[in-house]
Amino acid sequence: MVNTYHDLSYLHLDSSLTQAQSNVSTAELEAAANSTVLNVEGITSPLIIESMELLFNNGLYFLRTRSKDGSEGVAVASERAAYLYPLLKQLIIPYFIGKDARDLEKLLDGVYVYQSNYKLSGLALWCCISWVEASLLDMMGRIVGKPIGDLLGGVLRNEIPIYVASGNRGTTPEEEIEVLQQKVAETGARAVKFKVGGRMSKNADSIQGRSESLIYLTRKTFGDDFTIHADGNGSYDPPVAIEYGKILEEIGAFFYEEPCPFEHLEDTKEVADALHIPLAFGEQETSIRRFRWIIDNDAAQVVQPDLQYNGGFIRNTRVARMAALKGIPVTPHISGGYGYIYMLHFASYIPNIGKFQEDKAGVKVTDYLFTPHMEVKDGVFRAPTAPGLGMDVQVVDKVLRKALVV
Protein backbone atom coordinates (compact mmCIF):
# COMPACT_ATOMS: atom_id res chain seq x y z
CA MET A 1 0.00 0.00 0.00
CA VAL A 2 1.62 3.22 -1.16
CA ASN A 3 1.55 6.07 1.33
CA THR A 4 0.49 9.30 -0.33
CA TYR A 5 1.99 11.43 2.47
CA HIS A 6 -1.09 13.58 3.00
CA ASP A 7 -1.02 12.88 6.74
CA LEU A 8 2.46 12.69 8.28
CA SER A 9 1.24 11.59 11.70
CA TYR A 10 2.42 8.09 10.76
CA LEU A 11 5.99 9.29 11.39
CA HIS A 12 5.38 9.44 15.16
CA LEU A 13 5.45 6.51 17.56
CA ASP A 14 2.50 8.15 19.30
CA SER A 15 1.20 11.18 17.44
CA SER A 16 -1.34 11.92 20.18
CA LEU A 17 1.51 13.08 22.43
CA THR A 18 2.44 16.03 20.23
CA GLN A 19 0.29 18.26 18.09
CA ALA A 20 1.48 20.80 15.55
CA GLN A 21 0.64 24.37 16.42
CA SER A 22 -0.33 26.83 13.72
CA ASN A 23 1.83 29.83 12.88
CA VAL A 24 4.71 28.95 15.21
CA SER A 25 7.03 31.95 15.44
CA THR A 26 10.80 31.95 15.63
CA ALA A 27 10.50 33.46 19.09
CA GLU A 28 8.33 30.52 20.23
CA LEU A 29 10.89 28.06 18.89
CA GLU A 30 13.63 29.92 20.75
CA ALA A 31 11.60 29.86 23.96
CA ALA A 32 11.12 26.10 23.62
CA ALA A 33 14.85 25.65 23.12
CA ASN A 34 15.62 27.68 26.24
CA SER A 35 13.08 26.05 28.56
CA THR A 36 14.36 24.13 31.58
CA VAL A 37 14.97 20.43 30.94
CA LEU A 38 16.69 18.95 34.01
CA ASN A 39 14.67 18.19 37.16
CA VAL A 40 16.88 17.73 40.24
CA GLU A 41 14.27 18.32 42.91
CA GLY A 42 15.11 14.97 44.50
CA ILE A 43 18.70 16.02 45.18
CA THR A 44 18.57 18.47 48.07
CA SER A 45 22.26 18.80 48.94
CA PRO A 46 25.07 20.17 46.79
CA LEU A 47 26.63 17.53 44.54
CA ILE A 48 30.17 18.81 44.10
CA ILE A 49 32.16 17.14 41.34
CA GLU A 50 35.50 15.97 42.76
CA SER A 51 36.98 13.93 39.92
CA MET A 52 36.48 12.68 36.38
CA GLU A 53 38.62 10.07 34.71
CA LEU A 54 38.62 8.28 31.38
CA LEU A 55 39.26 4.53 31.58
CA PHE A 56 39.65 1.77 29.01
CA ASN A 57 38.88 -1.94 29.27
CA ASN A 58 37.44 -4.70 27.12
CA GLY A 59 37.48 -2.46 24.04
CA LEU A 60 35.36 0.28 25.67
CA TYR A 61 36.05 3.76 27.03
CA PHE A 62 34.35 4.69 30.30
CA LEU A 63 34.06 8.14 31.87
CA ARG A 64 33.70 7.88 35.64
CA THR A 65 32.64 10.86 37.75
CA ARG A 66 32.86 11.02 41.52
CA SER A 67 31.47 13.66 43.85
CA LYS A 68 32.80 14.81 47.22
CA ASP A 69 30.04 12.94 49.03
CA GLY A 70 31.10 9.63 47.42
CA SER A 71 28.46 9.41 44.72
CA GLU A 72 29.53 7.97 41.38
CA GLY A 73 28.35 7.98 37.78
CA VAL A 74 29.69 6.15 34.74
CA ALA A 75 29.13 6.81 31.05
CA VAL A 76 30.37 4.84 28.06
CA ALA A 77 32.10 6.97 25.44
CA SER A 78 32.35 6.12 21.77
CA GLU A 79 35.49 4.87 20.06
CA ARG A 80 36.19 8.51 19.16
CA ALA A 81 37.59 8.88 22.66
CA ALA A 82 40.75 7.21 21.31
CA TYR A 83 41.70 10.47 19.59
CA LEU A 84 39.52 13.04 21.39
CA TYR A 85 40.77 12.34 24.91
CA PRO A 86 43.30 15.25 24.95
CA LEU A 87 40.44 17.67 24.30
CA LEU A 88 38.32 15.98 26.98
CA LYS A 89 41.07 16.01 29.60
CA GLN A 90 42.53 19.45 28.91
CA LEU A 91 39.55 21.63 28.02
CA ILE A 92 36.36 19.91 29.24
CA ILE A 93 36.94 18.04 32.50
CA PRO A 94 38.82 20.87 34.29
CA TYR A 95 35.81 23.16 33.94
CA PHE A 96 33.50 20.75 35.74
CA ILE A 97 35.72 19.99 38.74
CA GLY A 98 34.42 21.74 41.86
CA LYS A 99 31.05 22.56 40.28
CA ASP A 100 27.64 21.43 41.56
CA ALA A 101 26.29 18.73 39.24
CA ARG A 102 22.75 19.96 39.87
CA ASP A 103 23.67 23.03 37.78
CA LEU A 104 24.31 20.85 34.72
CA GLU A 105 22.22 22.95 32.34
CA LYS A 106 24.16 26.11 33.19
CA LEU A 107 27.42 24.17 33.08
CA LEU A 108 26.76 23.17 29.47
CA ASP A 109 26.66 26.85 28.55
CA GLY A 110 29.68 27.60 30.71
CA VAL A 111 31.97 24.92 29.29
CA TYR A 112 31.20 26.18 25.80
CA VAL A 113 32.95 29.50 26.52
CA TYR A 114 35.55 28.15 28.98
CA GLN A 115 39.06 28.60 27.52
CA SER A 116 37.35 29.78 24.30
CA ASN A 117 36.04 26.26 23.61
CA TYR A 118 33.49 27.78 21.25
CA LYS A 119 36.35 28.18 18.75
CA LEU A 120 36.44 24.37 18.58
CA SER A 121 32.70 23.96 18.27
CA GLY A 122 31.63 20.90 16.34
CA LEU A 123 31.37 17.16 16.68
CA ALA A 124 34.69 16.76 18.53
CA LEU A 125 33.85 19.28 21.27
CA TRP A 126 30.25 18.20 21.79
CA CYS A 127 31.02 14.48 21.85
CA CYS A 128 33.34 15.08 24.80
CA ILE A 129 30.74 17.20 26.56
CA SER A 130 28.07 14.57 25.94
CA TRP A 131 30.11 11.93 27.77
CA VAL A 132 30.55 14.22 30.75
CA GLU A 133 26.83 14.98 30.78
CA ALA A 134 25.93 11.29 30.61
CA SER A 135 28.20 10.44 33.55
CA LEU A 136 26.62 13.22 35.62
CA LEU A 137 23.10 12.11 34.70
CA ASP A 138 24.01 8.54 35.63
CA MET A 139 25.25 9.76 39.00
CA MET A 140 22.13 11.82 39.68
CA GLY A 141 19.86 9.00 38.50
CA ARG A 142 21.53 6.61 40.90
CA ILE A 143 21.05 9.08 43.75
CA VAL A 144 17.31 9.46 43.19
CA GLY A 145 16.84 5.82 42.18
CA LYS A 146 15.35 6.62 38.77
CA PRO A 147 16.33 6.19 35.10
CA ILE A 148 17.67 9.36 33.53
CA GLY A 149 14.45 9.86 31.57
CA ASP A 150 12.75 10.79 34.81
CA LEU A 151 15.29 13.60 35.28
CA LEU A 152 14.66 14.94 31.79
CA GLY A 153 10.90 15.18 31.52
CA GLY A 154 9.53 11.87 32.76
CA VAL A 155 9.53 8.38 31.26
CA LEU A 156 6.59 7.83 28.91
CA ARG A 157 7.40 4.41 27.47
CA ASN A 158 9.84 1.53 27.70
CA GLU A 159 9.16 -0.28 24.41
CA ILE A 160 10.81 1.20 21.33
CA PRO A 161 10.14 -0.29 17.85
CA ILE A 162 13.26 -0.52 15.70
CA TYR A 163 14.30 -0.62 12.08
CA VAL A 164 17.34 -2.54 10.87
CA ALA A 165 19.88 -0.84 8.66
CA SER A 166 22.82 -1.69 6.47
CA GLY A 167 25.77 0.62 5.95
CA ASN A 168 26.80 -1.15 2.75
CA ARG A 169 27.35 0.62 -0.53
CA GLY A 170 29.58 -1.94 -2.24
CA THR A 171 26.92 -4.63 -2.48
CA THR A 172 24.75 -5.38 -5.46
CA PRO A 173 21.01 -4.88 -4.91
CA GLU A 174 20.56 -8.64 -4.64
CA GLU A 175 23.35 -8.95 -2.07
CA GLU A 176 21.95 -6.07 -0.07
CA ILE A 177 18.51 -7.64 0.04
CA GLU A 178 20.08 -10.77 1.54
CA VAL A 179 21.78 -8.65 4.22
CA LEU A 180 18.53 -6.93 5.12
CA GLN A 181 16.56 -10.18 5.15
CA GLN A 182 19.05 -11.66 7.61
CA LYS A 183 18.77 -8.64 9.91
CA VAL A 184 14.97 -8.81 9.79
CA ALA A 185 15.05 -12.52 10.60
CA GLU A 186 17.35 -11.94 13.59
CA THR A 187 15.32 -9.09 15.12
CA GLY A 188 11.73 -9.41 13.96
CA ALA A 189 11.90 -5.81 12.70
CA ARG A 190 9.15 -4.53 10.40
CA ALA A 191 11.25 -1.75 8.90
CA VAL A 192 14.56 -1.47 7.04
CA LYS A 193 16.94 1.23 5.87
CA PHE A 194 19.50 1.05 3.08
CA LYS A 195 22.03 3.40 1.51
CA VAL A 196 21.55 5.17 -1.80
CA GLY A 197 24.17 7.15 -3.68
CA GLY A 198 27.89 7.08 -3.06
CA ARG A 199 28.19 9.15 0.20
CA MET A 200 29.11 12.80 -0.36
CA SER A 201 29.75 11.70 -3.95
CA LYS A 202 28.50 14.61 -6.08
CA ASN A 203 25.73 12.52 -7.69
CA ALA A 204 27.82 9.43 -8.40
CA ASP A 205 26.27 6.09 -7.43
CA SER A 206 28.44 3.62 -5.54
CA ILE A 207 27.80 1.10 -8.32
CA GLN A 208 26.19 2.30 -11.53
CA GLY A 209 22.43 1.73 -11.37
CA ARG A 210 22.55 0.27 -7.86
CA SER A 211 20.36 2.78 -6.02
CA GLU A 212 17.37 2.75 -8.34
CA SER A 213 17.40 -1.04 -8.64
CA LEU A 214 17.70 -1.47 -4.87
CA ILE A 215 14.75 0.82 -4.19
CA TYR A 216 12.42 -1.17 -6.43
CA LEU A 217 13.78 -4.56 -5.36
CA THR A 218 13.35 -3.80 -1.66
CA ARG A 219 9.66 -3.07 -2.08
CA LYS A 220 9.17 -6.10 -4.32
CA THR A 221 10.93 -8.36 -1.80
CA PHE A 222 9.44 -7.14 1.47
CA GLY A 223 5.94 -6.33 0.29
CA ASP A 224 3.61 -3.35 0.48
CA ASP A 225 3.11 -3.38 4.26
CA PHE A 226 6.80 -3.22 5.14
CA THR A 227 8.41 0.10 6.11
CA ILE A 228 11.32 1.30 3.97
CA HIS A 229 13.81 4.11 4.70
CA ALA A 230 16.57 5.32 2.38
CA ASP A 231 19.71 7.26 3.36
CA GLY A 232 21.64 9.41 0.88
CA ASN A 233 24.48 10.54 3.18
CA GLY A 234 24.80 13.79 1.26
CA SER A 235 25.24 12.16 -2.15
CA TYR A 236 23.21 14.53 -4.33
CA ASP A 237 22.63 18.04 -5.54
CA PRO A 238 18.95 19.11 -5.53
CA PRO A 239 17.96 17.99 -9.06
CA VAL A 240 19.34 14.47 -8.60
CA ALA A 241 18.10 14.28 -5.02
CA ILE A 242 14.61 15.11 -6.23
CA GLU A 243 14.85 12.47 -8.96
CA TYR A 244 15.59 9.74 -6.41
CA GLY A 245 13.03 11.18 -4.02
CA LYS A 246 10.31 10.68 -6.62
CA ILE A 247 11.34 7.05 -7.06
CA LEU A 248 11.08 6.60 -3.28
CA GLU A 249 7.64 8.21 -3.38
CA GLU A 250 6.64 5.77 -6.08
CA ILE A 251 7.33 2.80 -3.80
CA GLY A 252 5.84 4.51 -0.72
CA ALA A 253 9.05 4.81 1.32
CA PHE A 254 8.77 5.99 4.93
CA PHE A 255 11.31 8.81 4.79
CA TYR A 256 14.31 9.99 2.75
CA GLU A 257 17.39 10.77 4.82
CA GLU A 258 20.07 13.42 4.14
CA PRO A 259 19.94 13.55 0.33
CA CYS A 260 22.19 16.64 0.14
CA PRO A 261 25.49 17.38 1.91
CA PHE A 262 24.80 18.16 5.56
CA GLU A 263 26.01 21.77 5.43
CA HIS A 264 23.84 22.57 2.39
CA LEU A 265 20.77 23.68 4.31
CA GLU A 266 19.19 25.64 1.48
CA ASP A 267 19.65 22.72 -0.92
CA THR A 268 17.97 20.40 1.56
CA LYS A 269 15.03 22.79 1.85
CA GLU A 270 14.77 22.95 -1.95
CA VAL A 271 14.48 19.16 -2.06
CA ALA A 272 11.96 19.10 0.79
CA ASP A 273 9.81 21.70 -0.98
CA ALA A 274 9.81 19.68 -4.20
CA LEU A 275 8.81 16.32 -2.70
CA HIS A 276 5.96 14.79 -0.75
CA ILE A 277 8.07 12.14 0.99
CA PRO A 278 9.32 13.44 4.37
CA LEU A 279 12.99 14.38 4.52
CA ALA A 280 15.01 13.31 7.57
CA PHE A 281 18.00 15.47 8.39
CA GLY A 282 20.38 16.65 11.09
CA GLU A 283 22.77 13.87 12.08
CA GLN A 284 25.87 16.03 11.56
CA GLU A 285 24.37 19.20 13.02
CA THR A 286 25.94 20.65 16.18
CA SER A 287 24.18 24.02 16.40
CA ILE A 288 20.88 24.56 18.21
CA ARG A 289 20.43 27.74 16.18
CA ARG A 290 20.80 25.86 12.86
CA PHE A 291 18.37 23.22 14.09
CA ARG A 292 15.98 26.09 14.73
CA TRP A 293 16.44 27.23 11.11
CA ILE A 294 15.79 23.70 9.80
CA ILE A 295 12.60 23.42 11.86
CA ASP A 296 11.43 26.98 11.24
CA ASN A 297 11.88 26.62 7.47
CA ASP A 298 10.43 23.09 7.19
CA ALA A 299 13.68 21.89 5.63
CA ALA A 300 13.11 18.51 7.29
CA GLN A 301 9.99 16.67 8.38
CA VAL A 302 11.98 14.32 10.64
CA VAL A 303 14.78 15.77 12.76
CA GLN A 304 17.81 13.56 13.44
CA PRO A 305 20.27 14.95 16.00
CA ASP A 306 22.98 12.63 17.24
CA LEU A 307 22.96 12.35 21.03
CA GLN A 308 26.76 12.54 21.17
CA TYR A 309 27.62 14.74 18.18
CA ASN A 310 25.19 17.41 19.37
CA GLY A 311 26.26 17.46 22.99
CA GLY A 312 24.01 15.07 24.90
CA PHE A 313 20.48 14.67 26.22
CA ILE A 314 19.73 18.21 27.35
CA ARG A 315 20.70 19.90 24.07
CA ASN A 316 18.84 17.30 22.05
CA THR A 317 15.77 17.62 24.25
CA ARG A 318 15.81 21.30 23.36
CA VAL A 319 15.83 20.35 19.67
CA ALA A 320 12.95 17.94 20.25
CA ARG A 321 10.90 20.60 22.01
CA MET A 322 11.29 22.97 19.08
CA ALA A 323 10.30 20.22 16.66
CA ALA A 324 7.26 19.28 18.76
CA LEU A 325 5.78 22.75 18.32
CA LYS A 326 5.52 22.08 14.60
CA GLY A 327 4.49 18.44 14.89
CA ILE A 328 7.86 17.16 13.69
CA PRO A 329 9.12 13.85 15.10
CA VAL A 330 12.67 13.20 16.29
CA THR A 331 14.53 10.07 15.25
CA PRO A 332 18.05 10.52 16.57
CA HIS A 333 21.08 9.41 14.66
CA ILE A 334 22.97 6.79 16.64
CA SER A 335 26.71 6.52 17.04
CA GLY A 336 27.96 2.94 17.15
CA GLY A 337 28.90 0.96 20.23
CA TYR A 338 26.92 2.16 23.24
CA GLY A 339 24.92 4.74 21.29
CA TYR A 340 21.81 2.55 21.18
CA ILE A 341 21.50 2.84 24.99
CA TYR A 342 21.49 6.62 24.79
CA MET A 343 18.86 6.38 22.05
CA LEU A 344 16.64 4.12 24.17
CA HIS A 345 16.72 6.50 27.11
CA PHE A 346 16.02 9.49 24.84
CA ALA A 347 13.12 7.68 23.17
CA SER A 348 11.70 6.73 26.57
CA TYR A 349 10.84 10.32 27.53
CA ILE A 350 10.57 12.40 24.33
CA PRO A 351 6.86 12.82 23.44
CA ASN A 352 7.43 13.38 19.72
CA ILE A 353 9.76 10.46 19.15
CA GLY A 354 9.69 8.85 15.71
CA LYS A 355 7.91 5.57 15.04
CA PHE A 356 11.08 3.52 14.51
CA GLN A 357 14.58 3.88 15.94
CA GLU A 358 17.70 2.29 14.50
CA ASP A 359 19.00 -1.05 15.71
CA LYS A 360 22.67 -0.10 15.56
CA ALA A 361 25.63 -2.44 15.68
CA GLY A 362 27.09 -2.55 19.18
CA VAL A 363 24.45 -4.39 21.17
CA LYS A 364 26.52 -7.57 21.40
CA VAL A 365 29.56 -5.52 22.48
CA THR A 366 27.93 -3.78 25.46
CA ASP A 367 24.92 -5.90 26.45
CA TYR A 368 26.91 -7.58 29.23
CA LEU A 369 26.86 -4.29 31.15
CA PHE A 370 23.16 -4.81 31.81
CA THR A 371 21.21 -7.37 33.81
CA PRO A 372 19.30 -8.83 32.07
CA HIS A 373 21.31 -8.42 28.87
CA MET A 374 19.96 -6.08 26.21
CA GLU A 375 18.23 -7.63 23.21
CA VAL A 376 15.77 -6.91 20.44
CA LYS A 377 12.71 -9.13 20.48
CA ASP A 378 9.85 -9.06 17.97
CA GLY A 379 11.15 -5.82 16.50
CA VAL A 380 11.11 -4.01 19.85
CA PHE A 381 13.86 -2.81 22.18
CA ARG A 382 13.12 -2.23 25.86
CA ALA A 383 14.72 0.82 27.44
CA PRO A 384 16.69 0.22 30.66
CA THR A 385 14.63 0.95 33.76
CA ALA A 386 17.27 0.71 36.50
CA PRO A 387 18.62 3.95 38.03
CA GLY A 388 20.77 6.25 35.94
CA LEU A 389 21.81 4.76 32.63
CA GLY A 390 20.55 1.42 33.90
CA MET A 391 23.80 -0.54 33.89
CA ASP A 392 24.49 -3.27 36.43
CA VAL A 393 26.67 -1.41 38.94
CA GLN A 394 28.46 -4.54 40.12
CA VAL A 395 29.37 -5.55 36.57
CA VAL A 396 30.61 -2.06 35.74
CA ASP A 397 32.66 -1.85 38.95
CA LYS A 398 34.31 -5.17 38.10
CA VAL A 399 35.20 -3.93 34.62
CA LEU A 400 36.60 -0.65 35.92
CA ARG A 401 38.75 -2.31 38.58
CA LYS A 402 40.74 -3.83 35.72
CA ALA A 403 40.65 -0.75 33.49
CA LEU A 404 43.56 1.43 32.43
CA VAL A 405 43.41 5.17 33.07
CA VAL A 406 43.74 7.04 29.78
Side-chain angles (χ1 to χ4, degrees):
M1 180 176 65
V2 175
N3 193 311
T4 55
Y5 310 114
H6 294 311
D7 179 2
L8 298 185
S9 64
Y10 76 89
L11 293 168
H12 298 262
L13 180 56
D14 186 347
S15 59
S16 68
L17 292 177
T18 180
Q19 299 294 329
Q21 299 179 18
S22 60
N23 301 317
V24 177
S25 69
T26 302
E28 288 171 320
L29 293 173
E30 186 70 10
N34 291 325
S35 59
T36 300
V37 174
L38 183 63
N39 181 353
V40 293
E41 291 179 357
I43 306 174
T44 57
S45 300
L47 191 59
I48 306 304
I49 302 164
E50 185 172 53
S51 67
M52 288 184 177
E53 55 186 345
L54 185 67
L55 305 108
F56 180 80
N57 189 19
N58 202 27
L60 296 174
Y61 290 91
F62 299 86
L63 184 63
R64 179 169 62 192
T65 298
R66 286 171 169 157
S67 67
K68 288 188 175 181
D69 69 356
S71 300
E72 185 171 299
V74 177
V76 181
S78 75
E79 70 280 358
R80 295 182 189 277
Y83 52 84
L84 294 180
Y85 73 89
L87 175 61
L88 173 68
K89 294 178 69 174
Q90 295 175 36
L91 294 175
I92 307 300
I93 289 177
Y95 173 79
F96 285 88
I97 302 302
K99 304 292 198 308
D100 189 337
R102 298 177 302 170
D103 295 329
L104 178 55
E105 287 199 69
K106 293 180 181 179
L107 298 180
L108 293 177
D109 294 330
V111 72
Y112 180 61
V113 298
Y114 173 73
Q115 299 285 57
S116 297
N117 279 338
Y118 60 87
K119 294 181 181 290
L120 304 174
S121 185
L123 181 154
L125 177 72
W126 288 114
C127 275
C128 292
I129 293 172
S130 79
W131 305 330
V132 170
E133 183 210 57
S135 71
L136 293 172
L137 290 172
D138 184 58
M139 180 169 63
M140 289 187 279
R142 292 189 196 185
I143 290 172
V144 299
K146 297 178 179 180
I148 64 170
D150 278 332
L151 301 175
L152 300 168
V155 171
L156 298 170
R157 63 184 73 84
N158 294 116
E159 294 187 348
I160 316 298
I162 57 97
Y163 67 84
V164 292
S166 169
N168 298 323
R169 280 193 160 87
T171 52
T172 66
E174 292 76 16
E175 290 169 338
E176 189 67 355
I177 289 297
E178 290 183 7
V179 171
L180 294 172
Q181 286 177 318
Q182 180 63 34
K183 288 177 177 287
V184 168
E186 291 172 352
T187 62
R190 296 296 303 162
V192 297
K193 186 174 81 176
F194 51 77
K195 302 291 188 179
V196 293
R199 181 182 287 271
M200 302 290 284
S201 59
K202 297 183 178 180
N203 296 331
D205 210 344
S206 57
I207 300 173
Q208 187 173 2
R210 176 185 185 273
S211 295
E212 183 173 350
S213 296
L214 179 58
I215 293 169
Y216 286 120
L217 185 58
T218 304
R219 177 57 76 205
K220 179 180 178 180
T221 302
F222 288 97
D224 289 343
D225 294 331
F226 210 85
T227 300
I228 295 173
H229 311 66
D231 183 0
N233 285 124
S235 293
Y236 308 125
D237 63 16
V240 177
I242 292 167
E243 177 185 338
Y244 279 104
K246 290 186 180 296
I247 297 173
L248 289 165
E249 288 179 348
E250 185 180 340
I251 63 114
F254 189 77
F255 68 55
Y256 182 19
E257 182 175 340
E258 200 180 50
C260 300
F262 62 88
E263 72 271 34
H264 295 187
L265 302 185
E266 292 83 2
D267 285 358
T268 301
K269 175 173 169 51
E270 181 180 342
V271 176
D273 289 346
L275 295 173
H276 297 292
I277 185 172
L279 255 60
F281 188 64
E283 71 177 68
Q284 301 291 344
E285 188 54 72
T286 60
S287 165
I288 300 294
R289 183 58 64 88
R290 285 194 295 270
F291 268 117
R292 193 190 73 185
W293 187 95
I294 293 166
I295 293 165
D296 200 14
N297 288 277
D298 200 30
Q301 292 71 52
V302 179
V303 179
Q304 292 186 297
D306 186 290
L307 293 166
Q308 295 182 62
Y309 300 175
N310 190 43
F313 291 94
I314 290 172
R315 283 171 55 86
N316 286 293
T317 301
R318 292 170 176 170
V319 172
R321 288 180 175 181
M322 288 191 291
L325 290 181
K326 298 193 73 172
I328 295 174
V330 179
T331 298
H333 177 261
I334 304 171
S335 305
Y338 194 79
Y340 73 102
I341 294 295
Y342 295 136
M343 174 276 290
L344 290 172
H345 281 293
F346 189 74
S348 76
Y349 72 88
I350 292 296
N352 54 315
I353 201 70
K355 185 174 182 179
F356 299 101
Q357 306 302 314
E358 186 173 355
D359 175 32
K360 196 78 168 184
V363 177
K364 295 180 180 179
V365 177
T366 61
D367 65 344
Y368 73 95
L369 297 171
F370 297 84
T371 302
H373 290 185
M374 301 298 296
E375 65 174 343
V376 179
K377 187 174 182 180
D378 298 327
V380 173
F381 236 140
R382 290 183 177 273
T385 57
L389 290 170
M391 293 182 288
D392 186 317
V393 173
Q394 291 183 330
V395 173
V396 173
D397 286 348
K398 183 178 180 180
V399 172
L400 295 187
R401 280 197 297 270
K402 300 177 181 180
L404 299 175
V405 177
V406 179

